[in-house]
Amino acid sequence: MSVSDLDWNAFSALPTESKVTFFAREDGFPFHTLFAQQFDRLLLDRLGGLATQIRTVAKTKSGMLFLQGLLGHKRAMLYFSQPSSRTFLSFYSACQILGLKVAEVRDRSTSSEFKGESQEDSIRTFSSYFDLIIMRTQEKGLAEKMAWTLSRSSRPVPIINAGSGKDQHPTQALLDVYTLQRSFERRGGLHDRSIMYVGDLARGRTVRSLSNLLMNYENIEHIFVAPDKLQIGADILEMLSAHGIRFVVTNDMRAHLPDVDAVYMTRIQDEWDERKGESAGIDTSAYKIGPEEMRMMRPDAILMHPLPRRDEISTEVDHDPRAMYWRQMRNGMWIRAALIASTFGMARCIEQYFRESL
Ligand code: NCD
C-alpha cells in the first residue's frame, strides 16, 4: 500500500507507528521527518555517528569543500511561521554546510497568506521551487498533512518538521539524544540512566519528543517534575507504561535532584495561555536551577535546556562543566546536517569520505 491509496481521513486515523512506514527511504533513513517515532536505535546510532563524522570532516578546508559539494544542486525552503532563532539558524547553517541554497518565509504578513492563501497552498507553492521544505508551525498536524499531500503529488519533496504546535519537535529530540550519547559515551554509555524533565511539560513539545526517542535506550527512568497544571500529558505516560518503562510524576524537584544523571529544564510556554495571565498565576519558584541546586546534583550529572531560557536556569551556573545547553545547541547543527544529508541519500558518501580521509 502507498500513501496514494489512502485519503486524508483514513491516513490521519492510522496510529503513528503505521504512518511512519510510509515515510521511510529504501535505505531506512526517513524521507519526511515528522515524528520522533520514526527513529529506532539503529538509525539513532547511525545519525549520531554521521553527525560526528561531518563535524570532523568540516574541520579542514578540503573537507568543508567536499561537504559543500554534496547538495550544491539542491535548494531548501525554511518556512517558519512560528518564532524561532536557534532552530532556524541551526537548519540554515546545516544547509550551508552541505551546500544547499536556502530561502525563507518567516513572516506570514509578507506572504500571500496575508491575501488569504491557505498554508497548504503556500507549501504546495514552495514544493514547485524547492527540493526540501523545513517547516515550523503553530498547527499540530500540518507537517504531516503536507507530507501526505506532497507524497501524492508530482513533486514529492521531503518535509522536515522543525516543531509542530505543542506536539512534536523531532529534530530537537535528535540533538538532545546526540548530546546525551556524547556526554555518557566515556562513562559506560546511554543506558541505565535517569532523566528528570522540569518545567512546562504540558505544553512543551521537546520533552514529548525526547521521552519518545529515549524509549530506544535500555533502562532509562523518566522523572517528570512540574506543577500539577503543567504536568506531562497522559498519552506520554500511557506510551511509557505500554513499553514497561519506569517513570515518576512529581512536584518535588529537590527530592530527586541528587539521584538523576540528567536534568532537562524547560521554560513556561505562556504563548499557549488560554486566558491572559494564566501562567503567571502558577507558582513556578520551585522549578529553577541555581548554584544551590547545582550543589545538590551529582558531580557527573548533566544539565540540559532546549533554549530559549528565561529564569529557570540562573546564568551563574553557565560556567559549570555540567551545563550542557550551549554545547547542545551546537550539536543541533551537526545532527541536522546529518539528517538532511541522509534525507538525500548522502550518508554513505560521507561515511566513505570519512574512512578514506583517516
Ligand atoms: C523549543 C521549541 O521551539 O519548542 N525551542 C527550540 O526549538 N530550541 C523550546 C521552547 O521554545 O521553549
Side-chain angles (χ1 to χ4, degrees):
M1 201 167 32
S2 80
V3 181
S4 320
D5 303 322
L6 293 168
D7 67 22
W8 172 244
N9 286 337
F11 180 79
S12 60
L14 293 173
T16 308
E17 291 66 29
S18 313
K19 285 178 189 165
V20 302
T21 58
F22 293 101
F23 296 142
R25 291 167 42 87
E26 270 177 16
D27 59 6
F29 282 113
F31 179 72
H32 299 297
T33 300
L34 306 172
F35 320 105
Q37 289 90 328
Q38 279 172 274
F39 298 90
D40 60 14
R41 182 62 193 273
L42 207 72
L43 261 184
L44 290 169
D45 286 350
R46 189 146 177 226
L47 265 182
L50 192 62
T52 303
Q53 291 179 357
I54 293 176
R55 74 201 297 170
T56 310
V57 169
K59 282 191 173 42
T60 63
K61 185 173 178 188
S62 56
M64 200 55 171
L65 290 173
F66 158 76
L67 291 169
Q68 282 172 357
L70 287 175
L71 295 173
H73 57 306
K74 299 286 183 193
R75 293 182 303 277
M77 177 68 192
L78 291 166
Y79 176 60
F80 275 57
S81 62
Q82 245 192 331
S84 176
S85 20
R86 83 213 72 242
T87 305
F88 177 84
L89 287 173
S90 152
F91 270 115
Y92 198 102
S93 316
C95 286
Q96 284 183 331
I97 290 167
L98 299 166
L100 277 123
K101 315 221 168 24
V102 186
E104 59 180 83
V105 167
R106 305 190 68 183
D107 180 358
R108 286 159 77 179
S109 69
T110 64
S111 82
S112 280
E113 283 172 35
F114 190 67
K115 300 183 191 165
E117 183 172 57
S118 68
Q119 288 196 76
E120 277 95 333
D121 279 2
S122 297
I123 295 163
R124 277 229 56 168
T125 306
F126 305 151
S127 74
S128 316
Y129 301 141
F130 296 96
D131 305 295
L132 167 68
I133 298 170
I134 301 166
M135 57 188 278
R136 163 173 287 200
T137 58
Q138 185 94 358
E139 296 74 14
K140 181 179 168 197
L142 190 62
E144 177 186 336
K145 178 130 192 230
M146 290 322 297
W148 172 84
T149 307
L150 295 183
S151 289
R152 296 156 59 96
S153 77
S154 55
R155 269 192 61 78
V157 307
I159 294 217
I160 297 181
N161 175 4
S164 52
K166 290 181 260 186
D167 187 38
Q168 284 254 3
H169 196 347
T171 65
Q172 176 72 41
L174 288 176
L175 77 90
D176 293 336
V177 160
Y178 182 48
T179 304
L180 285 159
Q181 263 174 356
R182 285 172 72 83
S183 302
F184 294 125
E185 76 190 349
R186 281 193 215 94
R187 287 188 263 141
L190 180 50
H191 51 82
D192 306 304
R193 305 278 173 189
S194 55
I195 178 162
M196 177 198 266
Y197 313 96
V198 185
D200 190 342
L201 312 183
R203 301 174 295 184
R205 52 197 171 192
T206 60
V207 168
R208 295 176 57 79
S209 288
L210 177 57
S211 52
N212 218 301
L213 269 199
L214 283 175
M215 292 203 307
N216 289 293
Y217 296 83
E218 238 170 275
N219 196 21
I220 304 288
E221 183 183 23
H222 303 248
I223 300 164
F224 299 99
V225 182
D228 291 341
K229 284 193 178 135
L230 302 178
Q231 200 39 280
I232 192 78
D235 58 334
I236 296 288
L237 301 179
E238 278 158 26
M239 170 193 80
L240 295 175
S241 295
H243 288 83
I245 292 168
R246 283 182 301 140
F247 63 80
V248 176
V249 178
T250 175
N251 308 133
D252 194 347
M253 181 177 85
R254 287 173 159 246
H256 295 272
L257 210 48
D259 302 324
V260 296
D261 295 291
V263 178
Y264 191 99
M265 298 298 293
T266 65
R267 78 180 162 89
I268 304 303
Q269 314 266 319
D270 50 14
E271 68 270 35
W272 293 104
D273 279 2
E274 279 159 20
R275 277 179 299 101
K276 200 171 179 322
E278 188 182 351
S279 298
I282 302 173
D283 181 7
T284 54
S285 54
Y287 306 94
K288 297 187 198 300
I289 299 277
E292 193 187 325
E293 287 74 20
M294 290 305 274
R295 279 194 288 278
M296 295 172 70
M297 277 167 61
R298 293 219 317 249
D300 58 352
I302 62 167
L303 177 64
M304 300 171 70
H305 195 305
L307 301 176
R309 75 172 149 189
R310 289 183 181 165
D311 61 353
E312 57 279 356
I313 297 182
S314 150
T315 52
E316 285 172 77
V317 311
D318 284 359
H319 294 294
D320 190 299
R322 293 170 294 174
M324 216 42 81
Y325 25 97
W326 302 115
R327 212 170 300 174
Q328 202 178 334
M329 191 174 80
R330 198 160 165 76
N331 286 341
M333 178 176 77
W334 299 114
I335 201 84
R336 286 179 173 124
L339 179 70
I340 295 168
S342 12
T343 299
F344 287 102
M346 292 295 170
R348 257 176 204 287
C349 196
I350 297 170
E351 286 161 354
Q352 190 181 343
Y353 182 93
F354 177 79
R355 273 195 307 274
E356 286 168 4
S357 61
L358 280 182

